[in-house]
Amino acid sequence: MPDRTQRTVRDLRRGNRSALLRHLYFEGPLSRLELGRDTGLSAGSVSNVVGELIADGLVERAGVADSDGGRPRILLKVAAGYGHLVGVDVGETRVRVGLFDLDLTELAVTEHLLSDGGRDVDHVVRLVADGLRSVTADAGIEPATVLGVGVGVPGIVEQGWDSAVVHAQTIGWDAVPLGRLLRAGTRLPLYIENGAKTLGQAEMWFGAGRGARDAVIALIGSGVGACVVADGKPYRGATSSAGEWGHTTMRVGGRRCRCGARGCLEAYVGAASLLQRWRGAPAGMGEEAALAALSERAGHDQEAAALLDETAEYLGAGIADLVNLFNPERIVLGGWAGLLLGPRLLPAVRTAAAEYALRQPGRHASIELGQLGTDAVTVGAATLPLAHFLDSGGRAPSAAGNSAARTVRWA
């Protein structure tokens, strides 16, 4: 018969360790006294857990703080060099792989452009595997120090019992067993999520969403997606498809969307659709360069300016739908296209959102640009293994064992 008392004590210690590590990570450097005050743990519990974390190499000294009499207080922080994280952004225009320390400082990165919109799954899997090899070699680290690999992808991610399956209708991925395909190339812990949701977690933790409890983080790139955060937690829905904002209907019988339906928001504000509607688009130019050219041209070309004005109104109306449905306190516009066009469009977007939204929730919702740049999906992907690491109290994933004994291979 299992010892329930022993299990309860072990779970309590694990919970205390996780709580202290998470608080120190986001709020540190802090002293033991501040950790106890902030977490509500006793001085004895804080001393024991901190001692464990220091012995494990997870926590280190970060200086000394002056005190009002008595001994100076030693400040502590999470050791950035304890391990590494990999974030992968599988987009429609590129695959980007970044290697980070625990402070999410980027140590190495590799990027490969895609010419087919990311439709060839096998090619994408090869690029991810190549990127994993490249970033660890470039940074001069052993793969065994990597705590996990996070991958942000377009479409709906269905988390199965042993793998993640991706449904990305706009690029022709129908129930692609991406988790299984990627696991063939590495034994590292692997975490796969929709790219907009990884962007949302990054902006909520470190960027424009920080401090908000109810927010929507919008990703505007080739397509359009969103991460809905309710009471501090991402809202996923019954089958993890919540946040497919780009496929809400803006105009009945309107433009054909890449998903096959008509009148989707993405068909009016996504970069791919926007460039299709620009009659003056330069031939043979990549999406990002072409969208930059459209933004520049709008300063002296009436057709380009009118197209962006129309886009701002559609985007504002789409944001008004978010305001009316979810009553967020903050809407953050991110993604490479959102940040490229945002400085020009934001005033008109705010005006349109105010016109289309109900006044009461509209008054309480701010619309901001993301703060983490165009590569925030990569950072967000790296937060997937980071979140697991913090939740586990800094324990190595069970499949990998401790970092010194971890067996790792790249395909």
Side-chain angles (χ1 to χ4, degrees):
M1 183 175 181
D3 185 341
R4 296 184 182 277
T5 301
Q6 182 65 32
R7 187 171 65 229
T8 301
V9 170
R10 185 169 62 247
D11 290 346
L12 181 61
R13 289 176 63 85
R14 185 184 300 117
N16 289 347
R17 183 178 166 112
S18 175
L20 280 177
L21 184 64
R22 176 175 283 272
H23 190 71
L24 191 59
Y25 183 82
F26 287 107
E27 307 299 334
L30 295 169
S31 67
R32 289 174 175 82
L33 181 65
E34 291 168 321
L35 282 169
R37 179 199 66 199
D38 295 348
T39 63
L41 296 176
S42 68
S45 293
V46 170
S47 180
N48 289 336
V49 173
V50 167
E52 287 181 7
L53 294 171
I54 291 175
D56 290 346
L58 250 172
V59 167
E60 61 188 13
R61 288 183 56 161
V64 178
D66 294 333
S67 62
D68 299 328
R71 293 182 301 175
R73 293 178 289 112
I74 296 173
L75 296 177
L76 303 167
K77 67 175 183 177
V78 174
Y82 175 83
H84 300 93
L85 307 160
V86 173
V88 181
D89 176 7
V90 176
E92 297 182 40
T93 60
R94 62 179 182 169
V95 172
R96 188 176 193 274
V97 181
L99 178 78
F100 302 85
D101 64 17
L102 288 187
D103 278 346
L104 288 179
T105 299
E106 191 172 78
L107 305 177
V109 64
T110 183
E111 186 173 305
H112 295 279
L113 298 179
L114 296 172
S115 59
D116 65 346
R119 292 177 176 274
D120 186 340
V121 177
D122 291 336
H123 181 54
V124 167
V125 169
R126 285 195 300 272
L127 291 180
V128 173
D130 290 345
L132 292 174
R133 283 193 297 268
S134 178
V135 294
T136 50
D138 290 348
I141 68 158
E142 290 296 324
T145 67
V146 177
L147 302 173
V149 179
V151 185
V153 298
I156 298 165
V157 179
E158 183 181 3
Q159 303 290 351
W161 70 273
D162 67 340
S163 186
V165 176
V166 180
H167 308 267
Q169 196 166 314
T170 58
I171 60 172
W173 287 17
D174 184 13
V176 170
L178 188 64
R180 177 173 59 79
L181 295 173
L182 290 175
R183 286 185 206 284
T186 178
R187 291 176 183 163
L188 286 171
L190 191 63
Y191 308 88
I192 301 175
E193 185 54 278
N194 169 267
K197 290 184 173 66
T198 73
L199 169 69
Q201 181 155 284
E203 288 286 356
M204 291 297 292
W205 281 12
F206 308 111
R210 186 162 187 176
R213 297 291 297 173
D214 296 275
V216 178
I217 316 299
L219 186 156
I220 304 173
S222 299
V224 176
C227 174
V228 179
V229 178
D231 195 23
K233 299 177 181 178
Y235 177 70
R236 303 184 61 84
T239 59
S240 299
S241 68
E244 288 295 328
W245 176 51
H247 302 290
T248 55
T249 303
M250 289 301 296
R251 186 171 181 177
V252 173
R255 284 178 52 81
R256 180 74 69 182
C257 179
R258 299 182 305 162
C259 74
R262 287 191 176 275
C264 294
L265 176 66
E266 183 174 299
Y268 294 92
V269 304
S273 174
L274 189 55
L275 292 172
Q276 286 176 0
R277 290 153 56 208
W278 183 27
R279 289 178 297 182
M285 188 177 285
E287 264 191 11
E288 296 187 30
L291 199 65
L294 171 60
S295 181
E296 190 277 331
R297 188 81 62 84
H300 53 82
D301 181 277
Q302 187 173 359
E303 182 209 348
L307 180 57
L308 291 186
D309 289 344
E310 180 187 64
T311 300
E313 183 166 13
Y314 276 115
L315 184 53
I319 288 172
D321 287 343
L322 295 174
V323 169
N324 293 343
L325 282 169
F326 299 110
N327 187 206
E329 60 189 288
R330 199 172 304 166
I331 298 103
V332 178
L333 298 181
W336 67 265
L339 294 178
L340 193 159
L341 295 178
R344 176 186 176 86
L345 299 188
L346 195 58
V349 168
R350 286 172 172 154
T351 299
E355 291 175 351
Y356 286 100
L358 291 170
R359 287 192 296 273
Q360 195 275 344
R363 281 196 298 268
H364 296 278
S366 65
I367 305 171
E368 312 293 340
L369 292 180
Q371 295 176 355
L372 300 182
T374 57
D375 299 321
V377 172
T378 314
V379 178
T383 69
L384 301 178
L386 175 60
H388 180 85
F389 184 69
L390 296 176
D391 288 344
S392 69
R395 302 293 187 187
S398 58
N402 64 59
S403 60
R406 226 174 279 163
T407 300
V408 178
R409 66 179 176 87
W410 306 123

